[in-house]
Amino acid sequence: MDQSDQELDCLSALLHALPVENMPMTLSELNGFVAGVLACPEMIPPSEWLPHVWGETGEAVFPDQRTAEATIGAVMAHYNSLAQAITRSPWIEPIYEVDPNSEEVMWEPWINGFTQAMRLRPDAWDRLLDQADEETRTTMIFMLALQDMNTGSSKFTDDEIDQLDLEAPDFIPNCIATLLTQSRPELYSSGSAPHSEIPFKAGPRPGRNDPCSCGSGRKYKQCCGRN
């Protein structure tokens, strides 16, 4: 993703400034939501998905025009940045939240946003599920299973949930890549990314507790993996 930390911090602050009683999206949730909108087999116009960013009521209740323009502009800039990144490669780095106490990566807000976007076009996703190959179907089922874990409705055992909780942050980027190459193949028809009958295989992503590849000496989850 090409947005700077400063731009993302500004976007996060603008989202936090929205009326909390409406339960607006956090930055991580928005990132997952936008990824879901872009991965959808059908185009979804901003006029349809933007209200969901503001919260359950769909009303932003901006205090003034300047704030409205700044917030909408920042959200659309994030959408455009992610869209451009996807045209270059289906492998994108999700923005996860990090628990300030334990420093554990929290993937739940991201997956909540992604599955919320899927609910905007359920028929389109159902058609993709019916027509997709086995790996893509497994990927979609896995993403929905993560949301079941997030909402407390999972049928997995406690041990299975604990294991998936640890693995989810590393699995999600590969899942996005697999879905994108199947749901939006037109993005890669010009050779901007690998495309064939076989779903895209992303390269190995550093484990959360591995040393960060940037050379800082810190763990990946505490360094570049924070975003």
Side-chain angles (χ1 to χ4, degrees), residues 7-213:
E7 289 173 320
L8 292 174
D9 287 343
C10 179
L11 173 56
S12 181
L14 288 168
L15 293 173
H16 278 296
L18 293 168
V20 66
E21 61 270 17
N22 290 347
M23 299 182 68
M25 291 186 179
T26 63
L27 177 59
S28 178
E29 193 172 12
L30 172 67
N31 184 250
F33 182 68
V34 169
V37 168
L38 290 168
C40 182
E42 293 182 2
M43 293 295 294
I44 305 176
S47 59
E48 183 176 347
W49 60 258
L50 261 177
H52 294 271
V53 177
W54 316 138
E56 293 182 342
T57 65
E59 298 179 2
V61 195
F62 295 114
D64 51 58
Q65 185 64 25
R66 182 177 179 179
T67 303
E69 292 175 355
T71 307
I72 294 172
V75 170
M76 291 308 302
H78 187 64
Y79 173 90
N80 291 331
S81 177
L82 191 56
Q84 291 172 5
I86 285 172
T87 61
R88 293 191 295 269
S89 170
W91 197 95
I92 60 174
E93 188 74 29
I95 296 176
Y96 299 128
E97 294 181 13
V98 177
D99 189 311
N101 297 314
S102 65
E103 295 192 335
E104 287 299 309
V105 174
M106 297 186 294
W107 51 267
E108 291 87 350
W110 193 96
I111 202 71
N112 189 63
F114 189 90
T115 52
Q116 186 173 345
M118 292 180 73
R119 290 195 292 272
L120 296 179
R121 289 291 189 278
D123 291 342
W125 285 105
D126 284 345
R127 286 193 296 272
L128 179 65
L129 185 63
D130 291 339
Q131 300 167 5
D133 57 33
E134 185 61 30
E135 182 167 356
T136 304
R137 284 194 293 270
T138 300
T139 296
M140 291 180 64
I141 292 170
F142 175 73
M143 297 287 269
L144 295 173
L146 290 182
Q147 178 63 357
D148 286 343
M149 287 170 52
N150 179 38
T151 59
S153 56
S154 177
K155 296 181 180 179
F156 291 128
T157 66
D158 289 344
D159 288 343
E160 289 172 332
I161 289 175
D162 289 342
Q163 185 63 32
L164 285 172
D165 182 45
L166 292 173
E167 297 174 343
D170 296 325
F171 283 163
I172 287 174
N174 289 338
C175 291
I176 301 170
T178 297
L179 291 179
L180 280 170
T181 53
Q182 296 297 304
S183 65
R184 301 296 307 279
E186 71 277 7
L187 295 178
Y188 313 107
S189 59
S190 62
S192 59
H195 174 63
S196 67
E197 294 295 328
I198 302 175
F200 177 76
K201 299 283 190 179
R205 181 172 180 266
R208 293 184 302 156
N209 292 310
D210 291 342
C212 190
S213 58

